[in-house]
Amino acid sequence: MSDRPSPGPAQHDGEPAPDPGRGLSGWLREHPPPGPFRQEFWRSPLRGPWLTSVFGLVLLIGIPILAITGLLSYAAYNPRLPGNDITPGKGLLGFYLFDWPTRPVWLYRFTQGTHVILGLTLVPVLLAKLWSVIHKLFAWPPARSPAEAVERASLLLLVGGAVFEFVTGILNIQLFYVFPFSFYPAHLYGAWIFLAAFVVHVAFKLPRMISALRSRDIRRELRTGLADTHPEPPDPDGLVAADPAPPTVSRRGLLAFVGGGSMLMFGLSVGQTIDGPLRRTALLAPHGRVYGTGPNDFQVNKTAADVGVDMAGMGPQWRLTLIGPHPARLSRADLLAMPLYTYRLPIACVEGWSTEQTWTGVRLADLARLAGAAVGGSDVFVRSLQMGGVFSHASLSARQVADPRSLLALRVNGADLSLNHGFPARIMVPNAPGVHNTKWVRRLDFLPAVS
Ligand SMILES: Nc1nc2c(c(=O)[nH]1)N[C@H]1C(S)=C(S)[C@@H](COP(=O)(O)O)O[C@H]1N2
Ligand SMILES: [Mo]
């Protein structure tokens, strides 16, 4: 406890009657509930506008990158095509959607890797930022005016939205579906709510952030040890503790702790996007614990056994059904007798991992022609032997069908596909999200393109 006289009203013996002159809000102000609602509860000498602004600046740069890469990922799903959209109620939120390109081939790998790895890297910064303003959540009275009530409600959307987006994102890449709703629409709608609150917050706080950043020199701060660490001067926002305790860590120490946490998150996850030998360093990545052997030795997202595909369907009696003006049924031998092409293409999963392999197969464009469909004017609806669920089908756009590197792959790295990688045949499309590279294909419907 501090032996200094505490700020605020003098102590009384009995309960003083509300002072009618100051009204209820004055009375409330003088009678905060105990614990975190009292200013004296929050005593860290490091809290202050400069510190909050340093974390805020990092988030101000990082969150728009998360937003852009996230919204691009939604566009990459081509949600306007049948079967691809699980947010049909998006309405105006789809205003920016465009026909996702097939080149550069690494684009989705880059944007989605950035989305996931940056999200993980920002976790310590987000927590530090929330810590630095946490006492404001307990401000008492809850609101002094209707305007303040609105402002504080918007903070709930801001903080709640940020926590919701980070938590659902992380749970999703950990394949830990504990929440009672579907990830994809929840993360998308949550993003828009959060972004709206974020824009309002930045608009209000930007000038104060800039002046707070100017109030101290970061280079000097990074040279200042514990002995010379003093609280920031009292500020109108009340970020600085009313009754600061002696410091137990310098600002430099706190920044190093948060920065070190971020570097750890980055270092333990980036390997899953880069792949190759670095894959082993991605200790935070849950994927790719299942690998194949020989040329099929790269990570498997879901095994055939996991999703319960009918093994019998993959035997010699397997046929690929083509639907179009001239429907056809082809065996694997028929497909292998067609012109085969080989390309190096990445699988880039929405969950952030990726891997590039060498795929051999038949061009989707050649299959479209065989079915009598117009190349460039036909989308394709792909069905898997896997029955039911979002992975059992996917639509590809006319542009994707027409790209000469878009394959119905039969082989990988010179060997037949393994069962887990989609034998007898799987889709491989350049720059498509991994989830659209459907495995265990049984039927392709070439349909006039959705304009
Ligand atoms: N039928 C089917 N196809 C599928 C999946 C699936 O679960 N079922 N997973 C998809 C996802 S999310 C990804 S990232 C890639 C992974 O391919 P891989 O398991 O061969 O590495 O396959 C895609 N194709
Ligand atoms: Mo995926």
Side-chain angles (χ1 to χ4, degrees):
M1 277 300 290
S2 154
D3 54 3
R4 273 171 274 172
S6 63
Q11 300 295 306
H12 298 279
D13 283 331
E15 271 299 295
D19 176 346
R22 277 171 297 166
L24 180 63
S25 99
W27 185 83
L28 278 176
R29 185 164 43 236
E30 290 175 10
H31 296 81
F37 293 97
R38 307 210 163 184
Q39 284 299 300
E40 316 84 85
F41 184 89
W42 304 100
R43 299 192 62 204
S44 170
L46 298 189
R47 286 201 183 90
W50 182 81
L51 189 76
T52 293
S53 298
V54 171
F55 297 136
L57 177 63
V58 176
L59 294 175
L60 181 59
I61 297 167
I63 285 174
I65 298 176
L66 289 182
I68 292 168
T69 51
L71 294 176
L72 282 178
S73 181
Y74 185 58
Y77 271 69
N78 278 331
R80 65 200 171 80
L81 301 183
N84 287 1
D85 196 0
I86 49 179
T87 52
K90 65 185 178 299
L92 287 177
L93 298 182
F95 72 93
Y96 70 93
L97 294 175
F98 55 96
D99 192 9
W100 184 249
T102 51
R103 55 185 76 224
V105 68
W106 46 261
L107 181 66
Y108 189 72
R109 188 180 191 186
F110 175 75
T111 58
Q112 195 58 17
T114 302
H115 187 73
V116 170
I117 308 295
L118 180 62
L120 289 171
T121 303
L122 287 179
V123 167
V125 184
L126 178 74
L127 294 178
K129 170 76 163 55
L130 291 178
W131 170 84
S132 77
V133 296
I134 187 90
H135 52 314
K136 301 292 289 173
L137 288 186
F138 294 94
W140 192 265
R144 277 162 226 202
S145 63
E148 202 181 75
V150 172
E151 196 210 320
R152 296 202 67 201
S154 81
L155 287 181
L156 271 182
L157 293 184
L158 182 76
V159 175
V163 171
F164 183 83
E165 289 302 283
F166 276 82
V167 168
T168 51
I170 290 169
L171 290 179
N172 184 61
I173 58 177
Q174 298 296 327
L175 296 184
F176 189 51
Y177 298 108
V178 282
F179 31 81
F181 42 78
S182 165
F183 164 77
Y184 178 106
H187 198 67
L188 180 76
Y189 292 140
W192 280 107
I193 294 174
F194 167 62
L195 285 178
F198 179 75
V199 167
V200 170
H201 183 68
V202 170
F204 274 110
K205 302 288 185 184
L206 193 63
R208 261 178 279 181
M209 186 191 91
I210 293 170
S211 62
L213 286 174
R214 290 208 176 116
S215 71
R216 299 175 98 83
D217 177 16
I218 186 144
R219 277 156 303 186
R220 175 182 304 165
E221 240 18 90
L222 293 178
R223 286 193 304 265
T224 305
L226 183 58
D228 298 312
T229 299
H230 306 292
E232 294 182 45
D235 64 313
D237 296 318
L239 291 177
V240 180
D243 179 21
T248 52
V249 62
S250 62
R251 280 188 194 82
R252 167 176 73 181
L254 179 63
L255 293 179
F257 179 68
V258 175
S262 280
M263 273 156 63
L264 206 65
M265 296 298 274
F266 180 83
L268 294 182
S269 57
V270 69
Q272 65 167 329
T273 306
I274 308 232
D275 203 35
L278 277 183
R279 185 64 188 69
R280 291 166 198 281
T281 63
L283 299 180
L284 290 180
H287 286 279
R289 299 280 142 79
V290 182
Y291 277 64
T293 52
N296 278 277
D297 178 17
F298 58 98
Q299 67 191 75
V300 175
N301 195 45
K302 302 226 179 65
T303 64
D306 277 347
V307 301
V309 274
D310 172 15
M311 298 290 175
M314 306 177 196
Q317 77 283 16
W318 175 84
R319 293 290 178 277
L320 173 72
T321 303
L322 299 182
I323 303 293
H326 311 301
R329 272 166 74 77
L330 305 173
S331 67
R332 214 178 117 93
D334 296 334
L335 289 167
L336 285 167
M338 290 175 65
L340 299 181
Y341 299 85
T342 299
Y343 299 103
R344 259 188 98 66
L345 298 172
I347 292 178
C349 181
V350 66
E351 284 138 13
W353 64 268
S354 41
T355 182
E356 195 177 76
Q357 305 296 334
T358 304
W359 305 91
T360 300
V362 180
R363 281 182 174 155
L364 292 184
D366 287 348
L367 293 171
R369 266 182 221 105
L370 198 69
V375 173
S378 312
D379 301 333
V380 66
F381 186 78
V382 180
R383 285 174 225 246
S384 170
L385 287 169
Q386 176 186 352
M387 291 305 197
V390 285
F391 297 105
S392 62
H393 59 257
S395 277
L396 301 169
S397 68
R399 179 199 288 217
Q400 287 171 318
V401 173
D403 190 297
R405 298 162 303 166
S406 293
L407 299 177
L408 182 70
L410 305 165
R411 321 190 72 200
V412 64
N413 302 322
D416 283 344
L417 289 175
S418 68
L419 275 184
N420 284 338
H421 285 303
F423 184 88
R426 79 173 300 166
I427 298 289
M428 278 308 303
V429 170
N431 194 37
V435 56
H436 283 175
N437 293 323
T438 305
K439 304 196 274 191
W440 314 296
V441 172
R442 69 182 167 92
R443 175 168 153 171
L444 302 176
D445 292 47
F446 292 98
L447 306 163
V450 174
S451 54

